Amino acid sequence: MIQAGLQPFPRQTGAHLIQPGPATHEGLCFEPQDPVEGDNTLGAINFMIGDMGDWEGKEERPLEVELPRSWHHDMIWWGPAGIGASYTIEGYIKGHSGPFRDGLGTRHFNGHVCRMAEGKFGGFFGWPNLTLTPTGGFMGMPATGKPSDMRVIDMYRRDGDKLAENWIFIDLLHFWNQQGVDILARCREVGRT
């Protein structure tokens, strides 16, 4: 929609661009990968998921403390349109993880359908894997107090023992539709910029 000149969401907190492949240009694995590398990647992903402190029943730590445990300082988060991409932990806190925590009061993790890794790449998905309640401000949208499901796919690149890049795909049209906001209808009404 954005490429066609439509603005489906309010101004996003991160940079909008077409998501590129890995910075290392090694995302296409044509040869068998070392299973130990895959185990290490899945271990890094599982550590990051288990270390998150912003879910029900877990103690929430400041993001500046939590994120460096799993992520390289110069990490890149390739977020979807409506949120945008973030560079470095500080940029990620400002561009996504901070607004996510601030604007979504109740956050419930439903689990993943699959977690997988091959070599230095891995990821997970859930359908849905999150149930979130907007309390105001997330993606420039008002509070509704209504829990809604978020369907997410995350893919990662590991460097050493930490995560370096994350490509994230969120079905935002579905999430906001559950909130009573039909993004597609809104685009028809608003028109092109």
Side-chain angles (χ1 to χ4, degrees):
M1 289 181 279
I2 291 173
Q3 291 176 2
L6 300 173
Q7 293 300 323
F9 302 106
R11 185 179 166 152
Q12 57 192 28
T13 52
H16 170 72
L17 50 103
I18 304 299
Q19 297 179 352
T24 55
H25 303 288
E26 60 181 352
L28 299 175
C29 302
F30 294 112
E31 302 297 326
Q33 301 296 300
D34 182 351
V36 172
E37 289 291 322
D39 290 344
N40 291 340
T41 299
L42 193 55
I45 293 168
N46 286 334
F47 176 80
M48 181 266 307
I49 293 167
D51 199 46
M52 286 184 190
D54 64 341
W55 305 106
E56 292 172 323
K58 294 187 80 176
E59 181 181 346
E60 190 170 303
R61 296 182 303 266
L63 290 164
E64 296 82 2
V65 173
E66 179 181 299
L67 293 171
R69 293 167 47 88
S70 301
W71 293 93
H72 283 282
H73 172 74
D74 62 349
M75 56 90 74
I76 303 174
W77 190 80
W78 298 109
I83 299 172
S86 298
Y87 172 64
T88 73
I89 287 176
E90 292 81 11
Y92 178 57
I93 291 170
K94 181 180 175 185
H96 177 62
S97 58
F100 186 90
R101 279 192 180 179
D102 293 344
L104 300 167
T106 302
R107 299 176 295 271
H108 177 75
F109 176 60
N110 300 317
H112 294 131
V113 173
C114 177
R115 290 185 193 171
M116 73 233 160
E118 183 176 12
K120 295 178 183 176
F121 297 91
F124 56 77
F125 65 91
W127 221 252
N129 56 354
L130 306 173
T131 301
L132 309 164
T133 304
T135 54
F138 181 65
M139 293 183 62
M141 303 290 195
T144 64
K146 178 182 176 185
S148 293
D149 293 330
M150 189 173 276
R151 304 185 296 201
V152 180
I153 298 171
D154 271 272
M155 298 303 295
Y156 299 89
R157 179 178 66 84
R158 178 185 55 84
D159 183 11
D161 62 350
K162 293 187 178 183
L163 302 172
E165 286 184 271
N166 180 199
W167 297 264
I168 182 163
F169 307 92
I170 304 173
D171 188 350
L172 292 170
L173 299 177
H174 174 72
F175 179 76
W176 289 115
N177 195 48
Q178 292 175 80
Q179 293 292 309
V181 179
D182 186 337
I183 301 294
L184 297 175
R186 205 164 98 167
C187 283
R188 284 191 299 271
E189 293 168 11
V190 173
R192 298 178 189 273
T193 59

